[in-house]
Amino acid sequence: ADIGKDLPTLINAGDHKEVLRFIRTKKLREPELTVNHGKALLKAAQKSPVSNGLDEGEYLAVIEQVLLASLDLNDLQFANICLKELKNRFGPDSARVRRLIGLCFEADGDLKNALATYDQMLATNPSSAFALKRKYCILKAQPEEGLNARTFLVSYLEKFGGDAGAWKEMGEVCLEVGDYTGAVYCWEELVLANPLDSGLHCHLGELYATLGGIGDLRAARKHLAQALDLDVSNVRALYTLVAVAADYLDKVAASSKKTKIDEHDAEVAKELVRYGAQKLCALYSEKGGRLYEAVTEVMGDYYRADC
């Protein structure tokens, strides 16, 4: 696509080919635009793709793009027209076509044939990440298959341990069943994959805080502090840091006779409570009003002198 033009400009110019190319290049999900411009381009290119500026490869890429957009819009009739064209070009046994056949079956609610299609793909290529992911999605869509879906996702991660999206999915599944220890493990993997994401550190800190042990609260404090180091405007991390550091001090005080506690570590926690309370009070003082009063009242429980 012409990098000097944005999408509205291409749309206004009626340049169907460049609109679709822009959407593909930027990986946008714009099904209505894709179908509308795709139908217009394919109709004009039906007799001679080359005369419309499309080589054979791009012509087939457009058909596939429009097919997927049609599934998004539940336009199964047009999706099947596109699928038929691709079958004629590649044959029904092509891996590229089988992927689309499976998706069409899914869109039509025919999960049995969709699974059969993905099983055929896996028989040819047992390491097909696409087929494995689609099988998991089909299992997850059936409430009675919840346990099988989780087991299948575990087996997928054993093969594709670097798939951050799959780790996030597993983390969400763990949260659904109350397995916070498992969720922590999954978010640790996500942090390893993207250590500069403030939101991931914040969420991981919250999960450790939910576990609630002294060691867990210490780990929570570490990740929340890292979240703020990466993004000083992360107010959620500030609130949670204050609560976690204060909870840590409470637990340390309650267990001081039984557990050896690093005094320096306790002092760090106290400083973090002060730091968080000061930052939050300063932040809301600029806004004033009832919200500021509410924040100062809450933070006053942690560090009244600075509010």
Side-chain angles (χ1 to χ4, degrees), residues 6 10 14 16 20 49 52 85 101 127 144 153 155 185 188 196 226 235 255 265 288 296:
D6 57 16
L10 295 172
H16 306 307
L20 294 172
N52 286 276
E85 176 69 13
I101 291 173
S127 297
E144 67 277 9
L153 183 55
S155 66
Y185 184 88
E188 286 282 9
L196 300 181
Q226 183 64 31
V235 178
S255 63
D265 200 45
T296 54

Side-chain angles (χ1 to χ4, degrees), residues 240-262:
T240 313
L241 180 62
V242 171
V244 164
D247 193 23
Y248 173 82
L249 291 171
D250 290 341
K251 281 188 167 58
V252 164
S255 63
S256 59
K257 295 181 180 179
K258 301 178 181 179
T259 307
K260 185 178 180 180
I261 301 299
D262 185 344

Side-chain angles (χ1 to χ4, degrees), residues 189-198 200-201:
E189 292 292 331
L190 287 171
V191 166
L192 285 174
N194 194 354
L196 300 181
D197 189 319
S198 174
L200 288 179
H201 281 284

Side-chain angles (χ1 to χ4, degrees), residues 3-274:
I3 59 174
K5 295 182 180 179
D6 57 16
L7 187 56
T9 301
L10 295 172
I11 293 171
N12 291 334
D15 193 335
H16 306 307
K17 181 188 72 172
E18 291 298 335
V19 167
L20 294 172
R21 189 180 289 173
F22 186 97
I23 292 172
R24 283 199 310 277
T25 302
K26 301 295 183 180
K27 297 182 180 180
L28 305 178
R29 192 162 187 171
E30 296 283 356
E32 290 187 10
L33 274 177
T34 300
V35 170
N36 291 338
H37 288 274
K39 283 182 176 180
L41 181 63
L42 292 174
K43 182 177 180 181
Q46 192 171 17
K47 294 184 179 180
S48 178
V50 177
S51 66
N52 286 276
L54 293 174
D55 58 29
E56 182 73 3
E58 187 169 16
Y59 175 69
L60 296 174
V62 166
I63 294 177
E64 183 174 351
Q65 180 183 8
V66 175
L67 186 158
L68 294 172
S70 299
L71 294 181
D72 269 352
L73 298 177
N74 200 32
D75 187 351
L76 301 184
Q77 183 178 2
F78 192 68
N80 283 317
I81 292 173
C82 295
L83 182 62
K84 183 178 179 180
E85 176 69 13
L86 291 170
K87 282 182 179 179
N88 292 336
R89 299 294 182 119
F90 296 107
D93 295 326
S94 159
R96 182 176 182 177
V97 172
R98 278 183 177 177
R99 291 161 60 109
L100 299 172
I101 291 173
L103 291 174
C104 287
F105 277 134
E106 284 190 67
D108 199 27
D110 189 350
L111 302 184
K112 182 179 179 180
N113 277 322
L115 280 172
T117 301
Y118 299 137
D119 284 336
Q120 290 172 2
M121 292 177 64
L122 290 169
T124 304
N125 177 16
S127 297
S128 172
F130 173 84
L132 290 169
K133 284 182 177 182
R134 295 317 308 165
K135 282 195 70 173
Y136 166 74
C137 291
I138 291 173
L139 290 172
K140 184 184 178 183
Q142 304 172 78
E144 67 277 9
E145 295 288 349
L147 182 59
N148 288 336
R150 184 174 181 178
T151 302
F152 191 85
L153 183 55
V154 170
S155 66
Y156 173 84
L157 283 168
E158 289 174 352
K159 295 179 181 178
F160 299 95
D163 189 333
W167 281 114
K168 187 174 188 301
E169 176 66 21
M170 177 56 82
E172 296 290 353
V173 170
C174 289
L175 289 177
E176 287 176 5
V177 298
D179 181 6
Y180 288 96
T181 301
V184 163
Y185 184 88
C186 294
W187 254 270
E188 286 282 9
E189 292 292 331
L190 287 171
V191 166
L192 285 174
N194 194 354
L196 300 181
D197 189 319
S198 174
L200 288 179
H201 281 284
C202 183
H203 192 73
L204 180 55
E206 291 171 355
L207 291 173
Y208 271 118
T210 302
L211 291 178
I214 289 180
D216 298 318
L217 293 173
R218 190 181 295 114
R221 199 179 69 194
K222 177 185 73 174
H223 284 288
L224 291 164
Q226 183 64 31
L228 287 167
D229 189 46
L230 293 168
D231 180 8
V232 294
S233 65
N234 191 334
V235 178
R236 180 176 181 134
L238 262 179
Y239 274 113
T240 313
L241 180 62
V242 171
V244 164
D247 193 23
Y248 173 82
L249 291 171
D250 290 341
K251 281 188 167 58
V252 164
S255 63
S256 59
K257 295 181 180 179
K258 301 178 181 179
T259 307
K260 185 178 180 180
I261 301 299
D262 185 344
E263 292 186 5
H264 173 72
D265 200 45
E267 286 301 317
V268 169
K270 291 177 183 178
E271 287 302 319
L272 288 174
V273 171
R274 294 190 187 97

